[in-house]
Amino acid sequence: MTMNRELKLYNSLTREKEIFEPLHPGYIGMYVCGPTVYNDVHLGNCRTFMSFDIIFRYLKYIGYKVRYVRNITDVGHLLDDGEDRILKGAKADKLEPMEVVQKYSNGFHDMMRLFNVLEPSIEPRASGHIIEQIEMVQAILDNGYGYIKNGSVYFDTLKFAKEKGVYGQLSGRVVEELIAESRDNLKNQDEKNHPADFALWMKAAPEHILRWNSPWSVGFPGWHLECSAMSTKYLGETFDIHGGGNDLKFPHHENEVAQNVSACGHAPARYWLHSNMLLLNGKKMSKSDGNTVSPTELIEGASVHMSKAYSPAVIRFFMLQTHYRSTLDLTDEGLQAGEKGYRRLMEGMKALEGLTPSADARPGALDQELNELVEQAFQEMDDDFNTPKALARLFDLVTRINSLAGGHLPLAEVSGDTIERLKQFFRDFVFDVLGLKDDSQAGDTGTAIIDGLMELIVDMRKDARDRKDWAASDKIRDSLKEIGVQLKDSKEGTSWVIE
């Protein structure tokens, strides 16, 4: 695949789609905020990382060299009540803080592999970049946008907003609203000049285990600082794409912009992409309300909200059916429909692999239509990575492939080159771009058994037809149809699909 496509990206800074032009032709730098590893990764996180995995995969597929940086927050950041997340996890699990970090980092990586999320190019840890963070704090101080109080360093938000005029541009709210809604309620709030100011460096309390030496105190960096420092180190002062969940837009990403402008003189990223929220049965997930489900519960069928277990491939497919910028509602009915769609796609690919070009092919309008649908799938992905619309084009193709396999469309109207292009396109697009797996070939014993049973049933029906036992043949066909399995007879044999 050569890089000859024109991409349109939705930019949160301008709140409109723009023609994407990378800083360096053929090369893209992308930074995505990773997990804070103090407990198990939740499904909302999984959706975010799957979304940017698709973006990473597609950019590489169309020919770009991509440096994808996704960090691990292992220093911890403070909750609204001032408690450190890593220390909270350490107390709950009765472990050392870095044991907590290792435990949940391993769990995060296991979950990403389960959902077939590619590893990033670089995965830096906040604890490994304390020097870079200290240097950035000093640069902010030198440029007059920070101040020191009792060994802690705070960002002067009002001064920055007044002099630079860009604070609030990313989140789309005026400074007064941002100040009123600031949720960066750290300890030592009374030290700050203004409630909207946020910590760049915090002096550690005696009980705080994670601490480092700095010019100001023995302490630890503020949460927002790590991403500014690490993105600058690995992607430069200006790079192409910065991504994360929509909940990070304010204050985290807004404060990242402020830090980079103050330290480097300009914003870090040219395009800001945000994935939207994952709901459960139309409501925000909440442990206190019991309205929650973990990835493990969903896969093992252990959730009270779901009627059955769903494979990682089905869950990934389900999430692809909604655009990454749109809210996604996780429901049992939606997953069941997604499972049917996923099975139909896999069966369509099997039917395609069974197609052989006609010896007397006379390519016509159908041949052109198939090639146009392939191109339309790429066009949908070029338009802000629109996976639901791209999937719609794939299912348009599956409908025609099944009709070709069943003899309802003339195979002679499709050239051998088009059939081979379709086969390569489906392999590339479904597996390499969308990151789906055929779970019947990935150790899914249940699916493998179903495939084997269906082969046996098809063979039994063929034996009945060979004996001219039409009653038995029809009974097998009709009984399968009643449970949603359709048999399709053609010159090449009998295939089956789940309706």
Side-chain angles (χ1 to χ4, degrees):
M1 188 77 185
T2 57
M3 186 181 59
N4 58 358
R5 314 205 67 85
E6 185 178 83
L7 298 174
K8 286 185 179 180
L9 272 63
Y10 181 88
N11 189 349
S12 291
L13 274 171
T14 59
R15 280 165 285 283
E16 62 184 20
K17 288 179 183 175
E18 299 176 351
I19 303 300
F20 175 79
E21 295 179 3
L23 291 177
H24 307 286
Y27 169 86
I28 290 175
M30 181 169 77
Y31 186 94
V32 174
C33 293
T36 302
V37 283
Y38 70 102
N39 60 10
D40 291 320
V41 63
H42 60 74
L43 271 171
N45 294 142
C46 292
R47 187 201 179 190
T48 293
F49 301 129
M50 277 190 256
S51 296
F52 286 100
D53 180 59
I54 297 293
I55 293 172
F56 181 38
R57 287 170 176 271
Y58 187 66
L59 291 173
K60 290 200 303 178
Y61 181 71
I62 62 175
Y64 286 103
K65 180 180 179 181
V66 185
R67 178 176 290 171
Y68 175 22
V69 181
R70 186 188 67 204
N71 72 295
I72 292 284
T73 296
D74 62 347
V75 170
H77 59 78
L78 302 187
L79 298 165
D80 289 345
D81 60 4
E83 186 173 13
D84 184 288
R85 291 180 185 268
I86 300 297
L87 296 186
K88 182 180 180 181
K91 292 175 184 176
D93 291 352
K94 295 182 174 58
L95 298 171
E96 287 294 317
M98 283 304 160
E99 284 184 288
V100 171
V101 165
Q102 192 63 50
K103 173 184 176 181
Y104 291 113
S105 293
N106 291 344
F108 168 69
H109 292 135
D110 289 344
M111 195 59 63
M112 292 299 99
R113 282 189 288 270
L114 198 61
F115 285 119
N116 201 27
V117 173
L118 297 178
E119 294 179 352
S121 312
I122 304 173
E123 190 175 58
R125 290 189 174 199
S127 62
H129 296 78
I130 300 299
I131 293 174
E132 290 85 354
Q133 294 179 74
I134 290 173
E135 290 174 346
M136 182 165 275
V137 173
Q138 189 60 58
I140 293 171
L141 285 169
D142 291 344
N143 291 330
Y145 293 104
Y147 57 90
I148 305 168
K149 288 285 186 73
N150 300 322
S152 294
V153 184
Y154 297 98
F155 188 86
D156 194 333
T157 303
L158 292 187
K159 181 180 179 182
F160 174 80
K162 181 179 179 180
E163 294 185 2
K164 295 297 183 180
V166 297
Y167 197 75
Q169 181 180 357
L170 181 62
S171 53
R173 290 177 285 182
V174 298
V175 175
E176 289 75 14
E177 291 176 342
L178 296 174
I179 291 171
E181 296 175 21
S182 176
R183 59 180 175 86
D184 196 7
N185 298 316
L186 306 177
K187 286 183 178 179
N188 305 318
Q189 181 77 275
D190 56 338
E191 288 183 349
K192 299 194 294 185
N193 289 347
H194 193 280
D197 296 346
F198 57 90
L200 298 170
W201 184 268
M202 291 294 293
K203 181 180 179 180
E207 68 274 10
H208 203 100
I209 301 172
L210 296 173
R211 55 174 66 207
W212 292 266
N213 292 325
S214 80
W216 316 287
S217 65
V218 176
F220 54 95
W223 168 40
H224 312 300
L225 188 66
E226 63 181 82
C227 290
S228 287
M230 290 188 289
S231 64
T232 300
K233 178 179 177 66
Y234 294 109
L235 298 174
E237 292 186 0
T238 306
F239 53 93
D240 298 297
I241 297 171
H242 195 313
N246 202 47
D247 59 317
L248 297 180
K249 191 179 293 186
F250 179 79
H252 186 52
H253 289 166
E254 195 75 70
N255 290 347
E256 273 192 68
V257 173
Q259 289 168 161
N260 281 73
V261 171
S262 299
C264 306
H266 44 75
R270 297 169 62 241
Y271 293 87
W272 291 80
L273 308 182
H274 293 93
S275 63
N276 215 324
M277 183 183 298
L278 180 67
L279 304 176
L280 178 60
N281 295 321
K283 299 178 182 179
K284 184 177 180 179
M285 289 198 193
S286 170
K287 287 186 178 179
S288 61
D289 295 336
N291 192 54
T292 184
V293 56
S294 72
T296 302
E297 289 173 335
L298 200 56
I299 293 167
E300 294 180 353
S303 171
V304 297
H305 299 285
M306 303 297 161
S307 62
K308 54 176 286 188
Y310 295 97
S311 73
V314 167
I315 296 169
R316 184 176 176 112
F317 176 86
F318 169 78
M319 292 192 178
L320 291 175
Q321 293 178 109
T322 301
H323 192 271
Y324 76 92
R325 285 194 290 108
S326 299
T327 301
L328 173 60
D329 190 12
L330 185 72
T331 66
D332 194 36
E333 294 78 9
L335 282 165
Q336 289 181 25
E339 185 173 50
K340 291 180 180 178
Y342 167 77
R343 299 295 176 204
R344 181 170 176 244
L345 182 61
M346 293 299 114
E347 290 305 321
M349 291 186 67
K350 290 178 183 178
L352 174 60
E353 292 296 334
L355 290 182
T356 55
S358 174
D360 57 345
R362 301 179 304 280
L366 178 59
D367 190 275
Q368 182 179 348
E369 182 183 8
L370 293 172
N371 281 285
E372 287 176 352
L373 284 171
V374 169
E375 182 58 29
Q376 286 169 16
F378 283 113
Q379 290 172 0
E380 303 295 3
M381 289 296 291
D382 293 340
D383 188 4
D384 200 25
F385 313 104
N386 200 321
T387 55
K389 287 190 175 181
L391 279 172
R393 301 291 80 75
L394 259 65
F395 281 112
D396 288 341
L397 284 166
V398 165
T399 297
R400 287 153 181 79
I401 289 166
N402 287 336
S403 294
L404 287 167
H408 304 298
L409 285 176
L411 191 58
E413 289 189 8
V414 184
S415 70
D417 288 344
T418 294
I419 290 175
E420 288 307 309
R421 184 192 182 194
L422 284 175
K423 290 179 180 180
Q424 190 63 53
F425 164 73
F426 265 86
R427 295 184 202 118
D428 291 348
F429 208 85
V430 172
F431 298 135
D432 295 340
V433 174
L434 299 182
L436 295 171
K437 284 185 175 181
D438 184 348
D439 58 16
S440 66
Q441 299 178 17
D444 189 323
T445 305
T447 302
I449 290 174
I450 291 172
D451 287 344
L453 288 172
M454 284 304 304
E455 289 181 16
L456 176 62
I457 292 170
V458 168
D459 286 344
M460 291 173 63
R461 181 170 176 266
K462 181 177 183 299
D463 289 342
R465 288 163 65 89
D466 290 343
R467 298 192 310 270
K468 300 187 185 303
D469 187 350
W470 307 119
S473 171
D474 291 347
K475 183 177 181 180
I476 292 173
R477 181 198 62 201
D478 295 342
S479 296
L480 288 173
K481 189 171 184 179
E482 287 178 3
I483 62 172
V485 178
Q486 182 179 359
L487 297 182
K488 297 187 175 183
D489 298 316
S490 67
K491 291 184 292 184
E492 287 78 21
T494 299
S495 61
W496 61 275
V497 295
I498 298 175
E499 293 181 313

